[in-house]
Amino acid sequence: MKFLLCLEVYPAQIVKISLEDGTKETLLEITNGTPDGIWIDRINQKIYWTVMGKMTDPPEGYFAKDGSIECCNLDGTEHTLLVGNGVITTPKQIVGNEETARLYWCDREGMALMSSSTDGSGFEILMQHEKGDSDLKEVEKQCVGIALDLQKEFLYWTQKGPAKGGRGRIFRLKLSQEYPVNELNIELLLNHLPEPIDLEFGHRTGKLYWTDRGAAPYGNSLNCAEVSENGELVNHRIIAKGLKEGIGLALDEDENVAYTSDLGGYIRKINLTDGSENIILQQGPMTGITLL
């Protein structure tokens, strides 16, 4: 039996949804901010997620440096804070390597890629952009979505740019190098995207998939592109449109489908070949999503 684990925003919680009958179960309530990214360690049967912390000065939307990386068992028990205490600002999507017991995530306002062991030890900044001389330049450097190609040892990430700005980009770096990396050692793969958010790497297809919450006609969409032998993203294709501020993304390569979640409250099952879709559920705003 397959389930989706989703992060709801209001109220902030982790929910488990059966793909067989649609029943929903709350696994854990989150009280310390807005959750955003979620990943499952299937070997050790653990759920990991990011919390962006709380805004200290709305309406400007300033976040204190109180983001965190947390985990629990698959049934919601043994909730543990792994990384926090002022070292992260707004962690977003999170992924992991089960074999090396290593976590990787993006810190949006921190403009950085970060990592730790799955027990929270060994915290490391992999890459951090220098602070710009304007708010616009800082927004363009904010890191959001993240994905791993473990076979070829690459880490991919998105920088969404300003809202609906058409300045979103996708980058990658080699995992096997010293950190923090020099910005000269990162590769820009794709540019001028509306607002790319979460990423997934298709290990069977060799394709990169992502959600985009930018403006129509190209935003609010599910996208894919092939990773060529020389590292270029080619044959970019919009698979489906009509997402309502698309955020979360989970691949099921066995069934050739993707599941997306958005701030409009929709969970969709999308065929990766023809873009046809079914709405699995509509509820409150959602961020991250993963398949169990």
Side-chain angles (χ1 to χ4, degrees):
M1 185 180 296
K2 293 182 179 181
F3 299 88
L4 292 172
L5 297 187
C6 305
L7 298 175
E8 292 187 356
V9 177
Y10 308 115
Q13 58 186 358
I14 303 173
V15 297
K16 179 180 178 181
I17 300 166
S18 169
L19 287 174
E20 183 175 285
D21 57 17
T23 55
K24 187 174 80 169
E25 171 190 0
T26 297
L27 293 182
L28 186 74
E29 296 181 356
I30 297 169
T31 60
N32 56 334
T34 302
D36 190 88
I38 185 169
W39 176 74
I40 297 173
D41 181 339
R42 291 167 176 80
I43 293 177
N44 296 299
Q45 301 285 285
K46 292 281 188 179
I47 305 169
Y48 294 86
W49 68 94
T50 63
V51 179
M52 291 193 291
K54 297 179 180 178
M55 286 187 185
T56 59
D57 191 20
E60 288 78 10
Y62 175 78
F63 284 86
K65 203 168 184 179
D66 64 348
S68 59
I69 308 300
E70 307 184 21
C71 77
C72 69
N73 295 330
L74 291 182
D75 61 1
T77 60
E78 296 188 21
H79 176 198
T80 305
L81 171 66
L82 298 175
V83 183
N85 302 314
V87 299
I88 318 172
T89 307
T90 45
K92 302 292 284 180
Q93 191 178 11
I94 186 170
V95 293
N97 183 342
E98 293 162 330
E99 292 184 359
T100 62
R102 198 80 192 167
L103 302 170
Y104 301 85
W105 67 89
C106 287
D107 185 340
R108 188 180 64 192
E109 268 73 14
M111 299 184 292
L113 308 177
M114 297 177 172
S115 179
S116 78
S117 296
T118 52
D119 64 2
S121 64
F123 171 76
E124 191 172 21
I125 295 177
L126 307 182
M127 186 282 300
Q128 188 164 33
H129 293 301
E130 293 183 2
K131 186 176 176 63
D133 57 5
S134 71
D135 290 341
L136 177 59
K137 287 184 178 179
E138 287 190 24
V139 168
E140 290 183 348
K141 294 178 180 179
Q142 291 179 350
C143 306
V144 182
I146 193 167
L148 297 175
D149 176 358
L150 296 177
Q151 183 176 1
K152 295 184 177 180
E153 295 189 312
F154 281 109
L155 183 153
Y156 295 85
W157 75 96
T158 62
Q159 293 178 197
K160 71 182 187 63
K164 317 296 189 274
R167 295 176 181 167
R169 294 173 288 174
I170 298 177
F171 297 85
R172 78 174 183 179
L173 58 78
K174 194 72 175 175
L175 282 170
S176 55
Q177 60 182 301
E178 293 185 1
Y179 301 111
V181 301
N182 187 301
E183 292 194 25
L184 296 176
N185 293 331
I186 65 178
E187 299 176 76
L188 172 61
L189 303 182
L190 205 56
N191 203 350
H192 305 300
L193 298 171
E195 198 176 348
I197 306 295
D198 280 9
L199 285 172
E200 286 279 347
F201 183 79
H203 299 283
R204 295 183 184 176
T205 63
K207 293 180 180 180
L208 200 63
Y209 299 84
W210 67 92
T211 54
D212 193 303
R213 63 176 291 191
Y218 304 115
N220 277 314
S221 56
L222 172 63
N223 299 254
C224 76
E226 298 172 15
V227 182
S228 69
E229 286 299 319
N230 60 1
E232 296 179 346
L233 285 183
V234 297
N235 299 325
H236 172 204
R237 179 171 69 94
I238 296 177
I239 298 173
K241 296 183 179 181
L243 306 185
K244 307 299 182 183
E245 302 285 337
I247 304 289
L249 175 61
L251 287 183
D252 186 341
E253 292 192 284
D254 290 337
E255 295 191 16
N256 192 41
V257 299
Y259 295 91
T260 64
S261 53
D262 57 43
L263 296 180
Y266 290 90
I267 297 177
R268 305 168 195 265
K269 180 181 180 181
I270 300 175
N271 184 291
L272 294 175
T273 300
D274 61 17
S276 59
E277 67 174 59
N278 293 317
I279 294 176
I280 302 296
L281 191 68
Q282 183 182 9
Q283 51 188 28
M286 287 173 286
T287 52
I289 188 172
T290 192
L291 185 67
L292 174 62

